[in-house]
Amino acid sequence: MNHLWRLCLPLLLALVAGGLVLVILGKDPLAYYFYVLDRGILSWGGLQETLTRMAPLLLIAAGLIVAFRAGIWNLGGDGQYLLAAVVTAALAPALIGFVPRGLTLILCMLAATLVGALWSLLPAFLKARYGINEIITSLMMSFLGISLANVLVKLFFWDPATTVPQTRTLDIASRLPRISGSNIHIGLLIALCLVVLVHLLMTRTAFGLKLQVVGASPAAARHAGLKVGFLTVATFALSAGLIGLAGAVEILGVWGNVRADWNPAYGMLVVPLVFLARMNGLAVIGFTFFFAALMIGGESAARRIGVPQDFVLLLMGLVLAFLGLVEYLDHRHQMRAAA
């Protein structure tokens, strides 16, 4: 099957199936998709929101690409993201009065990267030392991280000047600079650069090749003399560090604080984008733009035609289902061709 069709067909099938669901609900699918395009891409304000939303999604995608190419399922992204976001939200207002703005932003992003990496060490150690399935341990650490983030906001970082449990707010002037007078912050440029660097790391360096060998066959990697345990821990740390950085970029660029029980749950949402892009760092940029536009435009479209805002999640579920179907059919086609 043509490679481009393998990329685009699941999206097209999901949009068609989503349109049929809207028809069954008595809604106009063409109107829904028009509103998505109008709000998410065609209007300048919507395009700015779409590009801004891309920044954390791209960084999470970069982290997942590192893990998945190494054969490691880091599904603890939501916990890593939230803990890093809370630490950033607590640290930035405390530093800004004593440290220059630029240094404050850099220190907060480094701290968030470190927090994300540290939160992944237990699943990494259990995987490297005892071979325990990282799907289970990373998901458990994600739930713990989400709960711990809420505890930190409610007990330790609660701004006493507010009645709602939230951290102190970083003023707008102290947040990430905007690009050319727009509402798009430079976190998008940081994310784009890091996605490209991750792509080059995984496809053009000896370290990336070692990770892919470990992912393809740990036994063969050991036979080749690779330090599988060290590479496993390094992969987890790099993957979770990038996801933690995503939390910092979102707080420093958009929100300025974290409220209790806030959880955008981006971690699992980005997984199908990474697989649609075949874990290619360059291709994932396009899919992330598509999904960000769908999220921004879908919120407006849902209100206008009267469907739940979670309809976007249904579309993503359909994309994932059709991705699996296309892969299955393509595999059968290849098997018949080989026979």
Side-chain angles (χ1 to χ4, degrees), residues 270-320:
V270 178
V271 171
L273 302 181
V274 173
F275 280 103
L276 275 171
R278 300 299 190 275
M279 290 173 279
N280 182 295
L282 302 181
V284 84
I285 295 173
F287 285 108
T288 301
F289 176 75
F290 168 82
F291 181 55
L294 188 61
M295 292 178 72
I296 297 298
E299 294 169 1
S300 175
R303 290 192 299 270
R304 292 190 183 190
I305 73 169
V307 297
Q309 292 191 7
D310 290 340
F311 186 76
V312 173
L313 299 180
L314 172 63
L315 289 177
M316 289 309 299
L318 290 171
V319 169
L320 197 57

Side-chain angles (χ1 to χ4, degrees), residues 152-171:
L152 291 174
V153 172
K154 294 177 180 179
L155 296 184
F156 299 101
F157 300 145
W158 188 341
D159 182 2
T162 63
T163 56
V164 177
Q166 66 178 49
T167 63
R168 288 174 57 194
T169 301
L170 182 67
D171 60 277

Side-chain angles (χ1 to χ4, degrees), residues 96-168:
I96 200 65
F98 308 97
V99 180
R101 174 194 181 191
L103 184 57
T104 295
L105 297 174
I106 293 172
L107 289 175
C108 287
M109 287 189 282
L110 290 175
T113 302
L114 181 61
V115 167
L118 290 175
W119 198 248
S120 73
L121 288 185
L122 182 58
F125 172 75
L126 293 175
K127 169 76 172 180
R129 183 68 177 84
Y130 300 106
I132 296 177
N133 191 309
E134 72 276 13
I135 296 177
I136 298 172
T137 54
S138 63
L139 282 173
M140 290 175 62
M141 291 299 290
S142 183
F143 292 132
L144 289 174
I146 293 169
S147 299
L148 179 57
N150 283 321
V151 169
L152 291 174
V153 172
K154 294 177 180 179
L155 296 184
F156 299 101
F157 300 145
W158 188 341
D159 182 2
T162 63
T163 56
V164 177
Q166 66 178 49
T167 63
R168 288 174 57 194

Side-chain angles (χ1 to χ4, degrees), residues 16-191:
V16 171
L20 292 176
V21 172
L22 289 172
V23 170
I24 293 172
L25 295 175
K27 308 298 181 181
D28 184 355
L30 295 179
Y32 178 85
Y33 291 133
F34 172 77
Y35 290 138
V36 168
L37 286 174
D38 181 55
R39 175 59 178 164
I41 299 176
L42 300 181
S43 69
W44 174 233
L47 181 61
Q48 290 182 86
E49 290 186 49
T50 294
L51 293 174
T52 300
R53 182 69 61 88
M54 281 181 67
L57 300 180
L58 281 174
L59 288 168
I60 293 171
L64 292 179
I65 287 171
V66 171
F68 293 165
R69 276 186 172 267
I72 292 174
W73 289 81
N74 176 18
L75 299 184
D78 288 335
Q80 297 153 11
Y81 177 93
L82 272 180
L83 278 177
V86 168
V87 169
T88 300
L91 187 60
L95 289 178
I96 200 65
F98 308 97
V99 180
R101 174 194 181 191
L103 184 57
T104 295
L105 297 174
I106 293 172
L107 289 175
C108 287
M109 287 189 282
L110 290 175
T113 302
L114 181 61
V115 167
L118 290 175
W119 198 248
S120 73
L121 288 185
L122 182 58
F125 172 75
L126 293 175
K127 169 76 172 180
R129 183 68 177 84
Y130 300 106
I132 296 177
N133 191 309
E134 72 276 13
I135 296 177
I136 298 172
T137 54
S138 63
L139 282 173
M140 290 175 62
M141 291 299 290
S142 183
F143 292 132
L144 289 174
I146 293 169
S147 299
L148 179 57
N150 283 321
V151 169
L152 291 174
V153 172
K154 294 177 180 179
L155 296 184
F156 299 101
F157 300 145
W158 188 341
D159 182 2
T162 63
T163 56
V164 177
Q166 66 178 49
T167 63
R168 288 174 57 194
T169 301
L170 182 67
D171 60 277
I172 295 176
S174 301
R175 298 179 193 175
L176 289 172
R178 267 45 188 174
I179 301 173
S180 301
S182 68
N183 292 326
I184 307 166
H185 57 75
I186 64 168
L188 175 63
L189 300 181
I190 294 172

Side-chain angles (χ1 to χ4, degrees), residues 171-228:
D171 60 277
I172 295 176
S174 301
R175 298 179 193 175
L176 289 172
R178 267 45 188 174
I179 301 173
S180 301
S182 68
N183 292 326
I184 307 166
H185 57 75
I186 64 168
L188 175 63
L189 300 181
I190 294 172
L192 287 170
C193 290
L194 286 175
V195 166
V196 173
L197 287 175
V198 163
H199 177 75
L200 295 176
L201 172 72
M202 300 304 296
T203 59
R204 297 290 189 273
T205 68
F207 179 73
L209 178 60
K210 289 177 181 178
L211 294 186
Q212 294 188 67
V213 170
V214 171
S217 174
R222 290 190 184 91
H223 184 72
L226 298 181
K227 298 179 180 179
V228 175

